[in-house]
Amino acid sequence: MAKAGNKIITTRDFIQRYELTVWLGKEKKTQVDKNKLEFLYSMIAEKLLALEALELGLDKEPEIEKAIKQTEKLLILDELYKLEIKNKVEVTEKEILEALPKFNTEVEVHYIIAKNKREADSIWSLLKKGIEFDSLMVELGQSENKEKLRWGDIYEPIEKVIYDYLSVGEVYQPILVDSLWYIIKLANKFSKFGLSPDEIESAKSQVRKIIQLRKEREKLIEFSQKFGEGKILKVDAQLLKLLFTEINKIVEKKKLIRRAENVAVYPIAILRDDFLEIKKNLAEHLDDHFLKADSFKRTLDYVIDQLSLKGFVLRSENQSVAGTLNSLLKTIINEEFLAFEGYRRGLDKSPEVLKDMEMWKDAYLAYALKRKLLDSLNLGKKITAEELLRGYFPADQIWEIKIQEILVDDLSFADSLLKLIEQGYDMGELARRFSKREWARENGGIIGYVLSNQLGEIGQIAGTLEPGQVYGPIYTDEGYSIFKLLDKRKPKDTLYVANYDTFNIALNKLIASLANKYGVEVKYEMLKLVEVTYINTIVVRFLGFGNRILAVPLLERNVDWLRFLKNRKLPLP
């Protein structure tokens, strides 16, 4: 479809990138040809910048090299997961048909939670003596423990009890789930009948996904046990103690500040700047080996970077610094062994990884050259590899946003709240009553003003909305979120707006000079034939072994460079 120097953009490349990311105005059907052409020119601009960055050796800059290597590692892990787990799982039609009646049956479950076996046995004894279950729930202060669920949403051992052993009104003996005991009553069942062929096929598709994921989990446990046999790794005890001390110092400082300000102490997150402070304090040890295995060694500097990327968060006082650090280090160690195995098998040379890496590397290199240009103009600060990895945010998509949010655990409940909002119910009042966030009960769920790239997917989507628009439910790590954009404005003091006009002109002149240097070709008629959707969305790609990245790098709009071309042969949008 297009060519920039020796870099080719195929129809497949274009469709993948266009469909899996946000583009301002994509939803407007009347300007589809303009959107496609602008998007293609922006892809060409990225390729041109990447070519020049490569020629300048910017791929060897430490931060960019880290970003490229980290992305490659995640893609190799995903490829290994496919080979060892995903591709070895098969879901049969018989399994789908057996599970379908359960999937089409919603259950209402009442439950009592006990902290230990002794307490659970005591409650069970009272129930066997004839104490009414729901009355006991009220007496124990657990009257709200009622859920409407369906097959696939429930912890599997409990699910088996509910669907296979209990009739409506019956209670089952205590079951241990993680560290708590559950006594369950099946309060009601609601089965769907008379489904249309389309509804049946949709249900079968969802059942297939649930069975696939469950089989993958089983295969993963089996693979992990076998893979871990005989592997030995040493953690440097002295470095671990130093790292723990630094993290704990920051956590305690944040606790003191929050208590002094009389605000909620949790959650506490160790942020990028905190990790930079840790690096500064441990500067003399950064090149020392923190992890030592027969097959690889990893420095303290590397481990701190990995902790920063994984996200170090204490969500409640029940979480300790030592326990959280231990858990994250286990994940990092497992990934290092798996990544080593992936490289040993040559998965970094597999067609899928090479193709994806070409796209991501070009995106990182283009950003590196823009950063170099910005530094030369003395207009702003540097962008770190971590910022690149956490999200790829073009200048015209960074906003200061003010939103109102309701966060809940259950999707169906979120849908119900959304319907109430659409019917005119006050969103602030609903947030005060139902949102999981403690502070939401005080200010009606209002967050603002914050930079959109600080709120993850919510921020990215909010930046595309108009004030007053409501969006959701959207799944986040904390639950299902419904939010309304109250206001948005351009930031006053960030990299993306500091003398942006000056930077923008310099950037477009640079791209134009690179177009003349490397040459650009566009098959415009081929582009016109490409059919696209009008859905403006950001897609997250879930990778094997619990990782995720954006499906494709977000693309910055760069089309003004066409106006600086000496020999303008390309059609303008």
Side-chain angles (χ1 to χ4, degrees), residues 403-407 427 431 435 437 445 447 458 481-483:
I403 66 169
Q404 188 171 39
E405 186 212 34
I406 304 174
L407 183 72
M427 192 166 174
S435 184
R437 302 194 194 280
I447 308 173
I458 290 175
S481 173
I482 300 167
F483 59 91

Side-chain angles (χ1 to χ4, degrees), residues 13-135:
D13 295 334
F14 175 83
I15 292 172
Q16 178 193 31
R17 200 79 180 270
Y18 189 88
E19 294 293 357
L20 298 181
T21 192
V22 163
W23 191 253
L24 190 63
K26 187 200 282 188
E27 71 284 355
K28 297 177 181 176
K29 297 182 180 181
T30 55
Q31 60 182 52
V32 63
D33 289 334
K34 173 178 177 288
N35 287 337
K36 289 195 298 182
L37 190 56
E38 285 189 346
F39 197 91
L40 182 60
Y41 283 145
S42 298
M43 286 181 73
I44 290 169
E46 183 182 83
K47 299 293 184 190
L48 291 168
L49 290 166
L51 282 167
E52 186 70 4
L54 200 57
E55 191 169 304
L56 294 171
L58 299 187
D59 57 322
K60 298 296 186 288
E61 283 196 353
E63 295 299 326
I64 300 303
E65 196 170 22
K66 281 182 185 179
I68 292 170
K69 200 68 181 172
Q70 178 68 12
T71 305
E72 183 181 69
K73 185 179 85 170
L74 295 179
L75 293 173
I76 286 170
L77 289 173
D78 190 50
E79 199 65 19
L80 182 63
Y81 183 87
K82 288 177 192 172
L83 289 172
E84 288 295 337
I85 294 150
K86 193 178 185 72
N87 295 348
K88 292 184 178 181
V89 167
E90 182 183 355
V91 180
T92 66
E93 187 71 13
K94 182 183 177 184
E95 289 172 318
I96 295 170
L97 292 175
E98 285 176 353
L100 195 58
K102 295 177 183 178
F103 180 78
N104 287 327
T105 300
E106 188 180 54
V107 293
E108 182 181 340
V109 178
H110 298 182
Y111 55 93
I112 295 172
I113 301 172
K115 294 178 182 176
N116 52 57
K117 189 176 188 305
R118 184 178 176 184
E119 185 183 338
D121 288 341
S122 174
I123 294 168
W124 180 240
S125 177
L126 291 172
L127 291 168
K128 285 199 294 185
K129 288 178 182 176
I131 300 293
E132 209 276 327
F133 189 93
D134 288 358
S135 298

Side-chain angles (χ1 to χ4, degrees), residues 251 255 266-268 313-324:
V251 168
K255 284 181 182 177
Y266 294 95
I268 295 174
V313 182
L314 302 177
R315 301 196 181 279
S316 73
E317 61 183 10
N318 296 326
Q319 267 185 285
S320 67
V321 171
T324 304

Side-chain angles (χ1 to χ4, degrees), residues 284-542:
E284 61 184 291
H285 300 288
L286 291 179
D287 292 329
D288 296 346
H289 287 134
F290 186 94
L291 306 176
K292 299 174 186 176
D294 291 338
S295 50
F296 62 84
K297 294 180 175 69
R298 297 291 180 261
T299 64
L300 175 62
D301 184 64
Y302 179 87
V303 170
I304 291 173
D305 283 341
Q306 292 299 308
L307 288 170
S308 182
L309 288 168
K310 294 293 177 193
F312 195 108
V313 182
L314 302 177
R315 301 196 181 279
S316 73
E317 61 183 10
N318 296 326
Q319 267 185 285
S320 67
V321 171
T324 304
L325 179 58
N326 183 55
S327 176
L328 287 171
L329 286 176
K330 279 185 178 179
T331 300
I332 291 166
I333 290 165
N334 287 338
E335 284 189 359
E336 293 308 310
F337 274 115
L338 290 165
F340 179 83
E341 176 65 15
Y343 278 109
R344 188 188 69 78
R345 295 189 190 188
L347 298 184
D348 54 319
K349 303 296 190 299
S350 70
E352 292 83 0
V353 171
L354 287 172
K355 186 65 177 171
D356 283 338
M357 279 310 301
E358 182 186 6
M359 172 179 64
W360 281 100
K361 189 175 180 180
D362 284 349
Y364 290 141
L365 286 170
Y367 224 103
L369 187 55
K370 285 186 235 179
R371 186 181 73 182
K372 187 175 179 67
L373 173 64
L374 187 67
D375 289 345
S376 71
L377 298 171
N378 295 316
L379 299 179
K381 62 180 181 180
K382 288 187 176 182
I383 304 167
T384 67
E386 183 180 339
E387 287 168 326
L388 287 175
L389 284 167
R390 283 189 181 281
Y392 214 84
F393 298 101
D396 60 358
Q397 291 174 20
I398 294 291
W399 297 88
E400 279 187 350
I401 57 172
K402 182 179 182 181
I403 66 169
Q404 188 171 39
E405 186 212 34
I406 304 174
L407 183 72
V408 296
D409 285 324
D410 184 69
L411 177 59
S412 59
F413 185 42
D415 285 331
S416 300
L417 289 173
L418 182 61
K419 287 176 184 174
L420 290 174
I421 293 165
E422 290 170 348
Q423 290 168 15
Y425 280 77
D426 182 75
M427 192 166 174
E429 182 59 34
L430 293 174
R432 278 186 282 271
R433 291 181 60 189
F434 301 113
S435 184
K436 281 175 62 179
R437 302 194 194 280
E438 290 181 14
W439 46 262
R441 288 190 276 276
E442 298 175 12
N443 62 0
I446 294 174
I447 308 173
Y449 286 90
V450 295
L451 286 173
S452 55
N453 62 342
Q454 293 177 319
L455 290 179
E457 294 171 59
I458 290 175
Q460 293 165 22
I461 293 166
T464 69
L465 302 179
E466 295 300 324
Q469 282 187 280
V470 177
Y471 191 96
I474 177 175
Y475 177 73
T476 72
D477 290 339
E478 297 176 273
Y480 292 94
S481 173
I482 300 167
F483 59 91
K484 178 197 286 186
L485 179 66
L486 299 177
D487 190 24
K488 66 179 180 181
R489 63 194 185 194
K490 282 296 178 183
K492 295 176 182 176
D493 185 26
T494 72
L495 163 69
Y496 303 93
V497 295
N499 296 314
Y500 185 71
D501 287 342
T502 304
F503 172 64
N504 200 33
I505 291 168
L507 174 62
N508 283 297
K509 283 183 176 179
L510 172 61
I511 296 169
S513 71
L514 296 177
N516 291 322
K517 175 180 177 179
Y518 293 107
V520 172
E521 297 175 24
V522 175
K523 295 184 177 178
Y524 183 59
E525 293 306 315
M526 186 183 292
L527 177 67
K528 287 181 70 176
L529 294 174
V530 172
E531 293 184 5
V532 294
T533 65
Y534 307 99
I535 303 168
N536 229 341
T537 184
I538 293 173
V539 179
V540 174
R541 177 179 173 183
F542 289 88

